[in-house]
Amino acid sequence: MNVLIIGLNHAPETTGIAPYTTGLAQMLAADGHAVHVVTGMPHYPQWRVADDYRDARRTRRERDGAVRVTRVPHPVPARPTGASRIGMEAVFALRAAMVRGPRPDVVIAVSPALLSVGAARWVARTWGRGCPVGVVVQDLYGAAVAEAGALGGKGAGAVARLEHRLLAGADGVVAVHDVLRDALLRTGLPTERVTTIRNWTHLDEQATPDVASARRALGWPQGEAVVLHAGNIGAKQGLDGVVEAARLADARGLPLRFVLLGDGNQRARLVEAARGVERFTVVDPLPADAFRTALAAADVLLLHERPEVAEMCAPSKLTSYFAAGRPVLAATGERSAAAREVRAAGAGPIVPPGDPGALVEGALALVADPDAGARHAASARRYATGSYGADAAHARYGAWVRDLAARRLPVPPATDVLALQEIS
């Protein structure tokens, strides 16, 4: 089949949604489908267009192995507030809807960006002549706007209603976590149209790294336990709490170091806020091999979310954290998707978000009991093997796309059309 995927994020972006959209395209291509991805310019999590694409003012066409990739230009806001981010996504959706290639048999949208769903439905109805539409929901857009307080109550309500209308018009919806599926069903989406397919661990296995050498290369002092947060440094993560935890560790002279590895629109502000805090470090994004080594070299892997975050998403970083073989400390709400996942994996303790003191005490408790940490790490790795396997995701996505394609109504032969006209 000809499969068209419309999603704002794609490789070479290495964090967030991009690895899963890229992997989905590769999985479907491996099944023999002709896959065409329409995507944006690489910009996440730095929120600036990648250097290799700075001169991209026009549509660019590339190949990613067997996958055709078309990139459309769009603005990238330096401060991705609600309005500016919606503006970026609207431009992307409009331009994505105008891209033409082989006539699709199935169109798949990835949300966020939410407006990509509208583009997918338009393409399916026009160029695809009514072909089926599937949507992969990585985050709940309406919940994200509401929990972040980005557009006010009326704005958040409008976004949630738009999200429901767009998803209700899809032939099939994938939620990447049961928490997201339950939330979608509560909005009234039919049960038979919504399925759960977990994200997978997208980091390859590697030999046990030389931890001491890795820590020296990263500039992590000996004699300090490293609490590492890896991934996007954005508003949703509420990482001011990590700065304050490091400040508290300074004041108490504790052998802890809090490290943020990555980039994002909050990074510069946090670095400024942490001026003079000795036990706080920021590390630039690392290539895949070095990233895996950094995870394995940390004493504790930190998941940190704002107190308001509940069901907007299941953080993709957990797929890498659990496979890294290190205990996880989660500062998140008890009813969040992240909390449910950490508990299911037995990966480590959960502490209240927005409480730097609880964060420090949770880290100290893990460091003080290495046997418990080792049990958490082993449990998380077992869970990752059983729940985050790429082969299982590949098989389920393949079946989902075949099921979508089967929902397309056949075009009747010309003789049947004439007969219907005569009857009418």
Side-chain angles (χ1 to χ4, degrees):
M1 293 183 292
N2 289 326
V3 179
L4 173 64
I5 300 175
I6 300 178
L8 178 60
N9 303 99
H10 189 273
E13 294 177 3
T14 58
T15 63
I17 293 170
Y20 303 106
T21 302
T22 306
L24 170 60
Q26 294 290 350
M27 289 173 179
L28 296 179
D31 287 342
H33 303 302
V35 182
H36 180 196
V37 175
V38 178
T39 188
M41 298 298 169
H43 66 276
Y44 185 86
Q46 296 85 358
W47 287 99
R48 61 179 181 275
V49 176
D51 291 342
D52 291 346
Y53 293 82
R54 288 289 178 88
D55 60 349
R57 298 289 187 270
R58 299 179 181 177
T59 298
R60 293 177 57 151
R61 291 173 175 82
E62 306 170 353
R63 300 289 302 191
D64 183 15
V67 176
R68 298 175 65 243
V69 179
T70 301
R71 296 187 184 275
V72 297
H74 55 83
V76 176
R79 296 175 59 84
T81 59
S84 64
R85 183 165 179 169
I86 289 172
M88 174 189 72
E89 295 178 4
V91 172
F92 168 74
L94 287 170
R95 289 178 174 167
M98 297 299 105
V99 174
R100 291 294 177 261
R103 192 179 304 280
D105 299 301
V106 173
V107 181
I108 299 172
V110 179
S111 178
L114 175 61
L115 295 179
S116 298
V117 183
R121 289 180 57 185
W122 169 261
V123 171
R125 188 164 58 246
T126 55
W127 182 246
R129 295 181 178 175
C131 73
V133 176
V135 182
V136 178
V137 178
Q138 291 282 354
D139 294 346
L140 289 177
Y141 206 94
V145 171
E147 291 173 5
L151 296 176
K154 290 184 178 180
V159 170
R161 290 190 294 274
L162 174 63
E163 181 175 42
H164 176 71
R165 285 199 297 271
L166 288 173
L167 296 180
D171 297 281
V173 177
V174 164
V176 299
H177 194 280
D178 287 336
V179 168
L180 302 188
R181 181 177 186 273
D182 293 346
L184 290 170
L185 294 180
R186 286 196 298 272
T187 69
L189 292 184
T191 302
E192 65 274 11
R193 288 195 193 177
V194 186
T195 188
T196 301
I197 303 179
R198 295 290 193 94
N199 284 338
W200 57 94
T201 299
H202 57 85
L203 296 178
D204 298 331
E205 291 285 340
Q206 67 170 2
T208 302
D210 183 339
V211 171
S213 296
R215 290 171 72 106
R216 284 194 299 271
L218 289 162
W220 297 346
Q222 299 299 315
E224 291 182 346
V226 172
V227 182
L228 175 66
H229 179 282
N232 184 37
I233 304 176
K236 183 182 81 70
Q237 287 73 29
L239 296 170
D240 296 86
V242 180
V243 174
E244 295 310 310
R247 197 185 309 277
L248 183 58
D250 275 0
R252 294 172 56 183
L254 300 175
L256 295 176
R257 176 162 296 275
F258 291 87
V259 178
L260 306 185
L261 192 167
D263 206 344
N265 67 306
Q266 297 295 304
R267 174 173 165 159
R269 186 186 64 79
L270 290 170
V271 169
E272 180 62 28
R275 188 180 297 275
V277 179
E278 294 182 4
R279 289 168 172 79
F280 179 82
T281 302
V282 178
V283 178
D284 289 337
L286 298 171
D289 289 345
F291 179 77
R292 286 192 296 268
T293 299
L295 294 184
D299 296 280
V300 177
L301 298 177
L302 174 63
L303 181 138
H304 198 280
E305 295 184 319
R306 286 172 45 152
E308 299 86 358
V309 172
E311 59 183 17
M312 60 186 284
C313 67
S316 58
K317 63 168 52 68
L318 290 180
T319 63
S320 300
Y321 276 16
F322 291 172
R326 307 304 300 148
V328 176
L329 175 61
T332 185
E334 282 291 331
R335 67 188 185 94
S336 71
R340 178 189 284 195
E341 200 72 352
V342 170
R343 281 194 296 266
I350 298 169
V351 299
D355 186 341
L359 182 58
V360 168
E361 294 304 323
L364 287 174
L366 276 175
V367 172
D369 191 348
D371 291 340
R375 288 194 297 272
H376 285 310
S379 179
R381 180 168 276 173
R382 285 194 300 270
Y383 186 83
T385 300
S387 300
Y388 296 155
D391 290 344
H394 185 166
R396 297 203 66 190
Y397 270 117
W400 180 66
V401 169
R402 290 192 298 273
D403 180 65
L404 282 175
R407 299 182 190 189
R408 181 169 191 165
L409 295 176
V411 177
T415 53
D416 292 346
V417 173
L418 292 174
L420 289 171
Q421 289 174 341
E422 290 176 0
I423 292 171
S424 62

